[in-house]
Amino acid sequence: MLKSFSNGKMGKIPGLTGQGLTQAFSTRFRMPRPLTPYQLEMQKFKKAMTVARKRAAYTYWTRQTELENEFIENFIQEKKEKIVRDQIKLRNRIVRHSSITLEHMKATLLKRADKQEKYKRWLLGEQEKAQKRHDMIQLMNIDSQSWFSEIEDLQDKLKQSLLIPNVIGDSTTYYEKLEWRAGMAESLNYEE
């Protein structure tokens, strides 16, 4: 129950200040209009859509959570399996390297033993050559001393150096001398 403007012009509305404002607007009640069937149907549709949206969002997020959890579990399982495979590979690699190292050590020891054996054989060969040279030098020294160096002992030295003496039957020194000369002839290396 608003009062009209004074003189038909726009101006201040009387009674709209303070208490008058509440008195002017609080006394009027509006009754809602009755809803049409279309509006009722739209309300039901909106409520159903709200429920359906909430249900769809809930099912979507539960399914998304299930998928994420499944993915995470599969990822963790694959990581565990990969760690186990890597550990098995590492163990196998360690075992393989240790067996290769053992085989290499055995081969090295065998090579070292073969090398030492060859070196021993070479040393023995060198010793035999040195002994043959020494024996040859001694033989040459003996021959040079017993050969025609002094004329007065010539007959005695010639008799001692003969291979076949006059009496062979009762002379054992002949066989000893023959064996000694045969051994010296065998041990001498004439190619050197």
Side-chain angles (χ1 to χ4, degrees):
M1 297 138 179
L2 295 172
K3 295 181 182 178
S4 63
F5 295 108
S6 61
N7 299 332
K9 297 179 186 176
M10 290 180 72
K12 291 186 181 179
I13 300 175
L16 286 181
T17 59
Q19 268 185 341
L21 181 65
T22 55
Q23 284 177 0
F25 286 102
S26 64
T27 56
R28 185 173 177 185
F29 293 104
R30 276 188 63 193
M31 294 297 289
R33 289 183 191 167
L35 297 175
T36 62
Y38 173 76
Q39 288 174 338
L40 287 173
E41 190 177 331
M42 279 302 290
Q43 277 184 352
K44 287 180 185 176
F45 175 73
K46 285 181 182 177
K47 284 181 183 176
M49 282 300 290
T50 305
V51 170
R53 283 188 186 113
K54 286 182 181 177
R55 188 178 308 126
Y58 177 76
T59 55
Y60 170 77
W61 284 113
T62 53
R63 181 64 183 150
Q64 183 69 22
T65 306
E66 288 174 1
L67 289 174
E68 287 174 357
N69 290 342
E70 184 179 339
F71 175 78
I72 290 170
E73 288 172 3
N74 289 340
F75 180 76
I76 290 172
Q77 185 66 29
E78 287 175 4
K79 281 292 183 184
K80 285 180 182 177
E81 290 172 0
K82 185 180 183 309
I83 288 171
V84 168
R85 282 195 311 268
D86 290 345
Q87 288 176 349
I88 290 171
K89 283 181 185 177
L90 181 65
R91 260 187 252 120
N92 290 341
R93 190 179 307 139
I94 290 170
V95 169
R96 189 170 48 246
H97 283 297
S98 63
S99 65
I100 289 171
T101 305
L102 286 175
E103 290 173 5
H104 182 68
M105 286 174 58
K106 287 177 185 176
T108 305
L109 290 175
L110 286 174
K111 283 181 184 177
R112 187 180 296 162
D114 288 344
K115 220 180 241 187
Q116 287 178 352
E117 187 65 32
K118 286 179 183 177
Y119 184 66
K120 283 180 186 177
R121 279 187 265 141
W122 180 78
L123 280 179
L124 286 174
E126 290 296 316
Q127 286 177 353
E128 287 177 7
K129 287 179 186 177
Q131 184 66 36
K132 287 177 183 179
R133 287 188 199 115
H134 184 266
D135 291 344
M136 188 171 183
I137 290 171
Q138 280 185 345
L139 184 61
M140 290 171 71
N141 284 337
I142 292 170
D143 283 343
S144 68
Q145 287 174 2
S146 65
W147 198 245
F148 301 104
S149 59
E150 298 174 2
I151 305 240
E152 63 268 0
D153 296 332
L154 184 59
Q155 291 298 324
D156 294 333
K157 287 182 181 178
L158 285 175
K159 285 181 184 176
Q160 288 177 2
S161 65
L162 286 176
L163 289 176
I164 303 172
N166 293 332
V167 180
I168 295 176
D170 55 348
S171 174
T172 56
T173 58
Y174 166 74
Y175 292 109
E176 291 173 0
K177 198 173 193 180
L178 190 62
E179 285 178 3
W180 180 77
R181 286 190 182 230
M184 290 303 285
E186 284 179 1
S187 66
L188 290 179
N189 190 358
Y190 292 109
E191 294 176 1
E192 291 182 339

PDB file of all heavy atoms in Angstrom, residues 13-33:
ATOM      1  N   ILE A  13       9.548   9.121  -1.520  1.00  0.00           N
ATOM      2  CA  ILE A  13       8.392   8.328  -1.129  1.00  0.00           C
ATOM      3  C   ILE A  13       8.248   8.504   0.376  1.00  0.00           C
ATOM      4  O   ILE A  13       9.179   8.204   1.122  1.00  0.00           O
ATOM      5  CB  ILE A  13       8.602   6.844  -1.479  1.00  0.00           C
ATOM      6  CG1 ILE A  13       8.809   6.694  -2.978  1.00  0.00           C
ATOM      7  CG2 ILE A  13       7.444   6.010  -1.002  1.00  0.00           C
ATOM      8  CD1 ILE A  13       9.130   5.312  -3.402  1.00  0.00           C
ATOM      9  N   PRO A  14       7.080   8.992   0.786  1.00  0.00           N
ATOM     10  CA  PRO A  14       6.921   9.178   2.225  1.00  0.00           C
ATOM     11  C   PRO A  14       6.758   7.843   2.922  1.00  0.00           C
ATOM     12  O   PRO A  14       6.211   6.902   2.396  1.00  0.00           O
ATOM     13  CB  PRO A  14       5.640  10.020   2.333  1.00  0.00           C
ATOM     14  CG  PRO A  14       4.911   9.793   1.075  1.00  0.00           C
ATOM     15  CD  PRO A  14       5.918   9.457   0.042  1.00  0.00           C
ATOM     16  N   GLY A  15       7.340   7.714   4.081  1.00  0.00           N
ATOM     17  CA  GLY A  15       7.230   6.510   4.896  1.00  0.00           C
ATOM     18  C   GLY A  15       8.208   5.412   4.539  1.00  0.00           C
ATOM     19  O   GLY A  15       8.075   4.299   5.008  1.00  0.00           O
ATOM     20  N   LEU A  16       9.199   5.703   3.664  1.00  0.00           N
ATOM     21  CA  LEU A  16      10.175   4.674   3.313  1.00  0.00           C
ATOM     22  C   LEU A  16      11.448   4.786   4.128  1.00  0.00           C
ATOM     23  O   LEU A  16      12.425   4.161   3.816  1.00  0.00           O
ATOM     24  CB  LEU A  16      10.521   4.763   1.821  1.00  0.00           C
ATOM     25  CG  LEU A  16       9.457   4.250   0.875  1.00  0.00           C
ATOM     26  CD1 LEU A  16       9.933   4.369  -0.555  1.00  0.00           C
ATOM     27  CD2 LEU A  16       9.043   2.851   1.182  1.00  0.00           C
ATOM     28  N   THR A  17      11.457   5.529   5.115  1.00  0.00           N
ATOM     29  CA  THR A  17      12.636   5.654   5.951  1.00  0.00           C
ATOM     30  C   THR A  17      12.364   4.984   7.273  1.00  0.00           C
ATOM     31  O   THR A  17      11.285   5.103   7.844  1.00  0.00           O
ATOM     32  CB  THR A  17      12.998   7.118   6.197  1.00  0.00           C
ATOM     33  OG1 THR A  17      11.906   7.741   6.808  1.00  0.00           O
ATOM     34  CG2 THR A  17      13.385   7.812   4.920  1.00  0.00           C
ATOM     35  N   GLY A  18      13.341   4.241   7.777  1.00  0.00           N
ATOM     36  CA  GLY A  18      13.262   3.638   9.110  1.00  0.00           C
ATOM     37  C   GLY A  18      12.178   2.620   9.208  1.00  0.00           C
ATOM     38  O   GLY A  18      12.101   1.661   8.453  1.00  0.00           O
ATOM     39  N   GLN A  19      11.248   2.855  10.142  1.00  0.00           N
ATOM     40  CA  GLN A  19      10.185   1.900  10.408  1.00  0.00           C
ATOM     41  C   GLN A  19       9.169   1.835   9.295  1.00  0.00           C
ATOM     42  O   GLN A  19       8.542   0.816   9.074  1.00  0.00           O
ATOM     43  CB  GLN A  19       9.479   2.264  11.700  1.00  0.00           C
ATOM     44  CG  GLN A  19      10.063   1.578  12.884  1.00  0.00           C
ATOM     45  CD  GLN A  19       9.240   1.902  14.117  1.00  0.00           C
ATOM     46  OE1 GLN A  19       8.479   2.875  14.145  1.00  0.00           O
ATOM     47  NE2 GLN A  19       9.381   1.078  15.115  1.00  0.00           N
ATOM     48  N   GLY A  20       9.036   2.918   8.608  1.00  0.00           N
ATOM     49  CA  GLY A  20       8.044   2.944   7.554  1.00  0.00           C
ATOM     50  C   GLY A  20       8.359   1.950   6.454  1.00  0.00           C
ATOM     51  O   GLY A  20       7.469   1.402   5.813  1.00  0.00           O
ATOM     52  N   LEU A  21       9.632   1.711   6.214  1.00  0.00           N
ATOM     53  CA  LEU A  21      10.034   0.765   5.161  1.00  0.00           C
ATOM     54  C   LEU A  21       9.589  -0.640   5.513  1.00  0.00           C
ATOM     55  O   LEU A  21       9.031  -1.351   4.683  1.00  0.00           O
ATOM     56  CB  LEU A  21      11.551   0.817   4.957  1.00  0.00           C
ATOM     57  CG  LEU A  21      12.113  -0.086   3.876  1.00  0.00           C
ATOM     58  CD1 LEU A  21      11.591   0.350   2.513  1.00  0.00           C
ATOM     59  CD2 LEU A  21      13.622  -0.060   3.896  1.00  0.00           C
ATOM     60  N   THR A  22       9.812  -1.052   6.736  1.00  0.00           N
ATOM     61  CA  THR A  22       9.405  -2.394   7.139  1.00  0.00           C
ATOM     62  C   THR A  22       7.902  -2.523   7.202  1.00  0.00           C
ATOM     63  O   THR A  22       7.350  -3.578   6.916  1.00  0.00           O
ATOM     64  CB  THR A  22      10.013  -2.775   8.494  1.00  0.00           C
ATOM     65  OG1 THR A  22       9.666  -1.797   9.432  1.00  0.00           O
ATOM     66  CG2 THR A  22      11.500  -2.962   8.393  1.00  0.00           C
ATOM     67  N   GLN A  23       7.251  -1.487   7.573  1.00  0.00           N
ATOM     68  CA  GLN A  23       5.795  -1.551   7.618  1.00  0.00           C
ATOM     69  C   GLN A  23       5.217  -1.654   6.213  1.00  0.00           C
ATOM     70  O   GLN A  23       4.237  -2.342   5.995  1.00  0.00           O
ATOM     71  CB  GLN A  23       5.231  -0.316   8.321  1.00  0.00           C
ATOM     72  CG  GLN A  23       5.400  -0.364   9.816  1.00  0.00           C
ATOM     73  CD  GLN A  23       4.893   0.910  10.471  1.00  0.00           C
ATOM     74  OE1 GLN A  23       4.406   1.829   9.796  1.00  0.00           O
ATOM     75  NE2 GLN A  23       4.979   0.971  11.789  1.00  0.00           N
ATOM     76  N   ALA A  24       5.862  -0.971   5.282  1.00  0.00           N
ATOM     77  CA  ALA A  24       5.327  -0.953   3.937  1.00  0.00           C
ATOM     78  C   ALA A  24       5.498  -2.297   3.239  1.00  0.00           C
ATOM     79  O   ALA A  24       4.624  -2.714   2.490  1.00  0.00           O
ATOM     80  CB  ALA A  24       6.004   0.139   3.124  1.00  0.00           C
ATOM     81  N   PHE A  25       6.626  -3.010   3.467  1.00  0.00           N
ATOM     82  CA  PHE A  25       6.888  -4.252   2.726  1.00  0.00           C
ATOM     83  C   PHE A  25       6.571  -5.512   3.509  1.00  0.00           C
ATOM     84  O   PHE A  25       6.600  -6.573   2.960  1.00  0.00           O
ATOM     85  CB  PHE A  25       8.358  -4.295   2.280  1.00  0.00           C
ATOM     86  CG  PHE A  25       8.634  -3.364   1.149  1.00  0.00           C
ATOM     87  CD1 PHE A  25       9.263  -2.150   1.385  1.00  0.00           C
ATOM     88  CD2 PHE A  25       8.243  -3.671  -0.133  1.00  0.00           C
ATOM     89  CE1 PHE A  25       9.510  -1.276   0.344  1.00  0.00           C
ATOM     90  CE2 PHE A  25       8.497  -2.785  -1.163  1.00  0.00           C
ATOM     91  CZ  PHE A  25       9.125  -1.588  -0.940  1.00  0.00           C
ATOM     92  N   SER A  26       6.307  -5.443   4.762  1.00  0.00           N
ATOM     93  CA  SER A  26       6.105  -6.649   5.543  1.00  0.00           C
ATOM     94  C   SER A  26       4.648  -7.061   5.615  1.00  0.00           C
ATOM     95  O   SER A  26       4.352  -8.165   6.024  1.00  0.00           O
ATOM     96  CB  SER A  26       6.662  -6.477   6.947  1.00  0.00           C
ATOM     97  OG  SER A  26       5.945  -5.471   7.606  1.00  0.00           O
ATOM     98  N   THR A  27       3.813  -6.267   5.247  1.00  0.00           N
ATOM     99  CA  THR A  27       2.404  -6.614   5.389  1.00  0.00           C
ATOM    100  C   THR A  27       1.863  -7.332   4.195  1.00  0.00           C
ATOM    101  O   THR A  27       0.802  -7.930   4.264  1.00  0.00           O
ATOM    102  CB  THR A  27       1.587  -5.322   5.630  1.00  0.00           C
ATOM    103  OG1 THR A  27       1.833  -4.433   4.574  1.00  0.00           O
ATOM    104  CG2 THR A  27       1.936  -4.707   6.955  1.00  0.00           C
ATOM    105  N   ARG A  28       2.574  -7.341   3.087  1.00  0.00           N
ATOM    106  CA  ARG A  28       2.071  -7.965   1.882  1.00  0.00           C
ATOM    107  C   ARG A  28       2.598  -9.388   1.787  1.00  0.00           C
ATOM    108  O   ARG A  28       3.796  -9.613   1.862  1.00  0.00           O
ATOM    109  CB  ARG A  28       2.504  -7.161   0.673  1.00  0.00           C
ATOM    110  CG  ARG A  28       1.920  -7.681  -0.583  1.00  0.00           C
ATOM    111  CD  ARG A  28       2.249  -6.748  -1.674  1.00  0.00           C
ATOM    112  NE  ARG A  28       1.753  -7.295  -2.909  1.00  0.00           N
ATOM    113  CZ  ARG A  28       1.932  -6.794  -4.086  1.00  0.00           C
ATOM    114  NH1 ARG A  28       2.641  -5.706  -4.213  1.00  0.00           N
ATOM    115  NH2 ARG A  28       1.421  -7.341  -5.159  1.00  0.00           N
ATOM    116  N   PHE A  29       1.714 -10.355   1.583  1.00  0.00           N
ATOM    117  CA  PHE A  29       2.081 -11.753   1.424  1.00  0.00           C
ATOM    118  C   PHE A  29       1.730 -12.192   0.025  1.00  0.00           C
ATOM    119  O   PHE A  29       0.668 -11.853  -0.481  1.00  0.00           O
ATOM    120  CB  PHE A  29       1.334 -12.639   2.430  1.00  0.00           C
ATOM    121  CG  PHE A  29       1.739 -12.402   3.829  1.00  0.00           C
ATOM    122  CD1 PHE A  29       0.910 -11.681   4.682  1.00  0.00           C
ATOM    123  CD2 PHE A  29       2.942 -12.882   4.300  1.00  0.00           C
ATOM    124  CE1 PHE A  29       1.294 -11.456   5.976  1.00  0.00           C
ATOM    125  CE2 PHE A  29       3.303 -12.649   5.608  1.00  0.00           C
ATOM    126  CZ  PHE A  29       2.490 -11.937   6.446  1.00  0.00           C
ATOM    127  N   ARG A  30       2.667 -12.986  -0.562  1.00  0.00           N
ATOM    128  CA  ARG A  30       2.395 -13.513  -1.895  1.00  0.00           C
ATOM    129  C   ARG A  30       2.057 -14.967  -1.771  1.00  0.00           C
ATOM    130  O   ARG A  30       2.760 -15.705  -1.126  1.00  0.00           O
ATOM    131  CB  ARG A  30       3.626 -13.347  -2.773  1.00  0.00           C
ATOM    132  CG  ARG A  30       3.726 -12.003  -3.379  1.00  0.00           C
ATOM    133  CD  ARG A  30       4.835 -11.955  -4.361  1.00  0.00           C
ATOM    134  NE  ARG A  30       4.585 -12.879  -5.462  1.00  0.00           N
ATOM    135  CZ  ARG A  30       5.488 -13.248  -6.351  1.00  0.00           C
ATOM    136  NH1 ARG A  30       6.730 -12.816  -6.270  1.00  0.00           N
ATOM    137  NH2 ARG A  30       5.189 -14.049  -7.330  1.00  0.00           N
ATOM    138  N   MET A  31       1.114 -15.388  -2.421  1.00  0.00           N
ATOM    139  CA  MET A  31       0.756 -16.789  -2.457  1.00  0.00           C
ATOM    140  C   MET A  31       1.376 -17.372  -3.722  1.00  0.00           C
ATOM    141  O   MET A  31       1.298 -16.759  -4.780  1.00  0.00           O
ATOM    142  CB  MET A  31      -0.764 -16.954  -2.511  1.00  0.00           C
ATOM    143  CG  MET A  31      -1.463 -16.476  -1.269  1.00  0.00           C
ATOM    144  SD  MET A  31      -0.987 -17.403   0.176  1.00  0.00           S
ATOM    145  CE  MET A  31      -1.754 -18.926  -0.104  1.00  0.00           C
ATOM    146  N   PRO A  32       2.021 -18.557  -3.608  1.00  0.00           N
ATOM    147  CA  PRO A  32       2.601 -19.128  -4.803  1.00  0.00           C
ATOM    148  C   PRO A  32       1.518 -19.548  -5.777  1.00  0.00           C
ATOM    149  O   PRO A  32       0.445 -19.996  -5.381  1.00  0.00           O
ATOM    150  CB  PRO A  32       3.396 -20.304  -4.306  1.00  0.00           C
ATOM    151  CG  PRO A  32       2.801 -20.663  -3.010  1.00  0.00           C
ATOM    152  CD  PRO A  32       2.199 -19.395  -2.441  1.00  0.00           C
ATOM    153  N   ARG A  33       1.869 -19.434  -7.014  1.00  0.00           N
ATOM    154  CA  ARG A  33       0.921 -19.838  -8.036  1.00  0.00           C
ATOM    155  C   ARG A  33       0.914 -21.348  -8.098  1.00  0.00           C
ATOM    156  O   ARG A  33       1.921 -22.006  -7.868  1.00  0.00           O
ATOM    157  CB  ARG A  33       1.349 -19.290  -9.390  1.00  0.00           C
ATOM    158  CG  ARG A  33       1.186 -17.820  -9.499  1.00  0.00           C
ATOM    159  CD  ARG A  33       1.558 -17.405 -10.888  1.00  0.00           C
ATOM    160  NE  ARG A  33       1.662 -15.966 -10.957  1.00  0.00           N
ATOM    161  CZ  ARG A  33       2.184 -15.305 -11.923  1.00  0.00           C
ATOM    162  NH1 ARG A  33       2.714 -15.955 -12.940  1.00  0.00           N
ATOM    163  NH2 ARG A  33       2.218 -14.001 -11.924  1.00  0.00           N
TER     164      ARG A  33
END
